[in-house]
Amino acid sequence: MLTLEYSAMELTARLGACDLCPHACGVNRLMGQVGRCGIGARARVASACDHHGEEPALSGTRGAGTLFTAGCNLRCLYCQNAQISQGDLAAYPEYDTDALADAYFALQARGVHNLAWVSPTHVIAQLVAALVPARADGLALPVVYNSNGYDRVDVLRLLEGVVDIYLPDLKYADDATAEALSGAPGYTDTALAAIREMYRQVGDLELDGDGLARRGVIVRHLVLPGDLSGTRTALRRLAEEVSPTITVSLMAQYYPAHRAAAHPLLARPLTAAEYDTALDAFADAGLENGWAQEPKASETYRPDFEAGHPFEG
Ligand code: SF4
């Protein structure tokens, strides 16, 4: 069994020739160089807040304790969080280890149900390093790893025993689409391998007596207009190559954000018929567990990270 300290040390060492994600930029982030994600030695934090719009098992009654990092290893042209993932990253403060640990405790003090790292892949070394003093000082929240799925298996192995709940995306079923829309070569096999490793570590979703997630994997699949998400193939592969009992959150909240308005297929919201087709694909794949979204979800998910709280206007 790995110790938290060992994982933090190994992950931090990889910043010296960064290969924390599949891009493997090789830059020395410890010396302040930046690769495709745009973040150097220190993580930048865009928001740390209680979030009530996640899946019910994560939001519960008191909210998920979401810590939104700035920067990202993908470049989705329809990114709903583009302000913080691809915008002016210098606008968001750098957090050292102590500041991150303080942020974890501030979330715990708000009474949230978990510590949910949003877009953790490119700053996983810094996030885990801060967990070392935080756990020693009594941080009790389960950790949620909410990534875009473009994760490396060898990095994920260092998170065994560190992460309680994995919340990855499975965005595409076609690599050319993934490269064109998100700048993610080899996305499909990469994400499925990552999800298999996550599932090996924590298995199916386990809920406590209050219906809150305590352990397990939840896969998010955002249904895109024009079936750019390859929903039928993505869900079939997930059931066949990982497990038919894995929990899936089938998301209807797409709206044309960021640069999507200029794209011939992405310039409009999802239709109800498209989402119905995705629900059929879920059933046809033999998947058993998950959540559907109201087709009007795109009208309520409009984060603004320049406001005090990104989900409260
Ligand atoms: S985490 Fe950032 S610097 Fe490291 S390999 Fe990925 S994109 Fe490159």
Side-chain angles (χ1 to χ4, degrees):
M1 191 66 169
L2 305 175
T3 65
L4 182 56
E5 291 80 1
Y6 176 82
S7 293
M9 191 181 68
E10 287 289 306
L11 291 166
T12 302
R14 295 177 76 138
L15 290 169
C18 191
D19 64 353
L20 284 178
C21 89
H23 287 308
C25 299
V27 294
N28 188 342
R29 294 174 58 185
L30 296 170
M31 298 296 288
Q33 293 177 341
V34 295
R36 291 172 70 144
C37 60
I39 297 295
R42 289 186 177 169
R44 292 183 183 272
V45 174
S47 175
C49 62
D50 51 308
H51 183 7
H52 298 265
E54 303 281 36
E55 287 78 1
L58 298 171
S59 287
T61 53
R62 299 195 303 270
T66 43
L67 188 136
F68 288 87
T69 73
C72 187
N73 62 334
L74 295 192
R75 285 287 175 274
C76 302
L77 64 80
Y78 54 89
C79 181
Q80 297 176 341
N81 294 342
Q83 253 178 335
I84 66 170
S85 65
Q86 304 173 40
D88 177 16
L89 302 184
Y92 302 101
E94 288 187 332
Y95 279 40
D96 64 11
T97 301
D98 288 345
L100 282 171
D102 287 348
Y104 300 169
F105 277 109
L107 286 168
Q108 180 166 271
R110 294 178 79 125
V112 297
H113 299 296
N114 46 58
L115 170 61
W117 293 332
V118 182
S119 293
T121 305
H122 62 297
V123 284
I124 191 58
Q126 296 89 335
L127 295 173
V128 172
L131 206 52
V132 174
R135 286 292 191 223
D137 289 345
L139 187 87
L141 297 172
V143 167
V144 181
Y145 182 94
N146 175 2
S147 80
N148 52 42
Y150 204 52
D151 291 294
R152 289 176 62 123
V153 169
D154 57 348
V155 171
L156 292 172
R157 286 200 186 112
L158 292 167
L159 302 182
E160 186 161 12
V162 175
V163 170
D164 300 283
I165 299 149
Y166 283 104
L167 182 60
D169 293 337
L170 180 58
K171 290 179 171 294
Y172 306 105
D174 174 72
D175 285 346
T177 308
E179 184 144 13
L181 300 185
S182 294
Y187 177 87
T188 310
D189 285 348
T190 298
L192 280 164
I195 294 168
R196 264 196 306 278
E197 169 60 18
M198 296 171 183
Y199 191 76
R200 183 195 68 76
Q201 290 180 23
V202 296
D204 282 322
L205 183 63
E206 295 173 17
L207 305 178
D208 68 10
D210 295 322
L212 292 168
R214 279 293 160 257
R215 184 178 165 86
V217 180
I218 303 169
V219 176
R220 282 180 169 169
H221 180 75
L222 176 68
V223 185
L224 294 176
D227 196 30
L228 288 168
S229 44
T231 296
R232 181 163 292 274
T233 304
L235 296 181
R236 179 183 53 75
R237 289 193 65 183
L238 186 64
E240 289 178 358
E241 298 177 31
V242 185
S243 170
T245 58
I246 198 165
T247 298
V248 176
S249 180
L250 196 61
M251 307 180 87
Q253 69 187 38
Y254 177 82
Y255 64 92
H258 192 37
R259 295 190 286 124
H263 188 280
L265 293 176
L266 289 172
R268 61 166 174 84
L270 196 71
T271 65
E274 285 175 312
Y275 191 63
D276 283 347
T277 301
L279 289 171
D280 289 343
F282 175 90
D284 293 345
L287 291 162
E288 303 167 7
N289 300 310
W291 292 278
Q293 263 184 339
E294 291 296 320
K296 288 188 178 298
S298 66
E299 293 172 14
T300 53
Y301 188 87
R302 301 279 171 116
D304 179 0
F305 290 88
E306 286 175 6
H309 187 303
F311 300 97
E312 292 170 2

